[in-house]
């Protein structure tokens, strides 16, 4: 890391780096939750700067974000706003004693109204938006719905009911698209299918949507189970925040029994060591955290960490590759969490979500 990158004092994210236990209720965990929730609270109702990505059909589509998507207009772009709301819901649910739990609930109440979400549904249904935020943003919308469904709280139930029309639309868009998608999308950014499939499959199982679960499981089989020797040595690309190889392995472990997954992983990533050294996969380095694309690599370190943990969790307990996977995960965790400072909006509007997903073990 060059001297231009701002990092916190050594102890600032110590609890994060060591791994927070979301069920312990200890004060250090609540402090971590408050730090991460603070990043989302700083942006979910911050309208500008803003990146709108949609097809304009007429002059009426040239409107400010708060009018186009009144629930999810902050945090620079729609998908970051959606997963910023997911962060607030998850941390308020897991850490109700954190000082940000009350403000988080207030922010959710402000955004997730029936009127706002009806307008979101109308926006998604407008002509020319069939591919809007597909698959990344739609997958995070389903994760938000999952979080509200898991939260035994009257407010969360009300918010989940208000979100239901948008949830249904997001699921329908995935259902309409996947039978027509002849090949997986192996990028390291928003279009990647493997990461989105993991989020969607977790939603389908939580929601009891057997048809969607079967669709995702079938597409995982069609796209990935014959793969071998993934070129991890070619990663990362300069703008990646997701690993194509690790994300694929992380979704495949969701659909295979441990013994079968162990065999598949041997073909897919044959270079994983059988010792506990972490240096077989080095964390990425961000040279300019004020560059919105270059800072993606901080997110890559975070997502690699949870994917490596997920891959290890999918293997039999005695598998000799687990120590190397977990050692590399720990190195990426430390590097990635050190970047979650909020020092720049380019990273601050979204890295908190990736950190929360990691430290609360949502993918596991």
């Amino acid at each position: 890391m060059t001297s231009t990158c701002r990092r916190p004092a050594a102890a600032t994210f110590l609890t994060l780096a060591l791994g927070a236990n979301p069920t312990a209720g200890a004060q250090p965990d609540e402090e971590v939750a408050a730090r991460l929730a603070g990043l989302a609270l700083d942006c979910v109702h911050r309208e500008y700067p803003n990146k709108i990505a949609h097809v304009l059909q007429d002059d009426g589509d040239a409107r400010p974000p708060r009018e186009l998507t009144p629930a999810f207009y902050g945090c620079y772009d729609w998908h970051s706003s959606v997963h910023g709301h997911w962060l607030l819901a998850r941390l308020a649910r897991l850490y109700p004693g954190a000082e940000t739990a009350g403000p988080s609930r207030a922010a959710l109440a402000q955004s997730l109204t029936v009127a706002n979400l009806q307008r979101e549904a109308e926006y998604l249904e407008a002509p020319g938006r069939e591919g809007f935020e597909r698959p990344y943003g739609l997958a995070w919308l389903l994760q938000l719905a999952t979080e509200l469904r898991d939260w035994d709280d009257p407010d969360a139930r009300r918010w989940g009911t208000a979100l239901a029309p948008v949830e249904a639309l997001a699921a329908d868009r995935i259902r309409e698209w996947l039978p027509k998608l002849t090949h997986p999308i192996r990028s390291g950014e928003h279009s990647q299918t493997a990461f989105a499939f993991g989020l969607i499959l977790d939603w389908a199982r939580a929601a009891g949507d057997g048809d969607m679960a079967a669709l995702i499981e079938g597409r995982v089989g069609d796209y990935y189970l014959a793969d071998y020797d993934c070129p991890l040595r070619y990663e990362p690309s300069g703008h990646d925040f997701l690993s194509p190889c690790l994300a694929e392995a992380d979704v495949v472990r969701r659909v295979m029994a441990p013994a079968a997954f162990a065999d598949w992983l041997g073909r897919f990533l044959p270079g994983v060591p059988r010792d506990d050294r972490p240096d077989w996969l080095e964390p990425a380095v961000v040279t300019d955290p004020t560059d919105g694309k270059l800072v993606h690599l901080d997110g890559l370190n975070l997502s690699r960490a949870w994917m490596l943990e997920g891959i290890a969790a999918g293997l039999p307990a005695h598998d000799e590759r687990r120590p190397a996977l977990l050692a590399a995960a720990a190195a990426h965790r430390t590097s990635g969490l050190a970047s979650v400072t909020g020092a720049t909006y380019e990273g601050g509007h979204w890295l908190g979500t990736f950190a929360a997903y990691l430290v609360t073990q949502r993918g596991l």
Side-chain angles (χ1 to χ4, degrees), residues 229-230 232 265-274 277 280 321 324:
D229 197 15
C230 194
L232 191 59
L265 189 67
R267 298 187 296 274
F268 183 67
L269 290 176
V272 177
R274 297 178 182 270
R277 59 187 177 88
W280 62 278
R321 292 165 292 186

Side-chain angles (χ1 to χ4, degrees), residues 16-18 301-302 305 329-339 358:
L16 282 176
L18 295 177
N301 290 332
L302 294 166
H332 282 78
R333 170 187 285 256
T334 299
S335 181
L337 291 172
S339 71
L358 170 63

Side-chain angles (χ1 to χ4, degrees), residues 186-189 192 194 229-249 268-269 280-285 297 300-301 303-304 307-308 311 332:
R186 303 182 188 274
S187 76
E189 297 188 83
Q192 186 192 107
D229 197 15
C230 194
L232 191 59
R233 59 196 175 277
Y234 291 172
E235 296 186 21
S237 293
H239 291 170
D240 282 357
F241 60 88
L242 300 167
S243 163
C245 289
L246 297 183
E248 178 173 338
F268 183 67
L269 290 176
W280 62 278
L281 187 64
E282 295 286 347
V285 174
L297 293 176
L300 176 71
N301 290 332
S303 64
R304 275 181 170 182
M307 290 171 186
L308 289 161
I311 295 165
H332 282 78

Side-chain angles (χ1 to χ4, degrees), residues 243-265:
S243 163
C245 289
L246 297 183
E248 178 173 338
D250 193 36
V251 74
V252 168
R253 61 96 177 166
R254 286 170 160 89
V255 304
M256 299 185 80
F261 177 61
D263 290 342
W264 177 88
L265 189 67

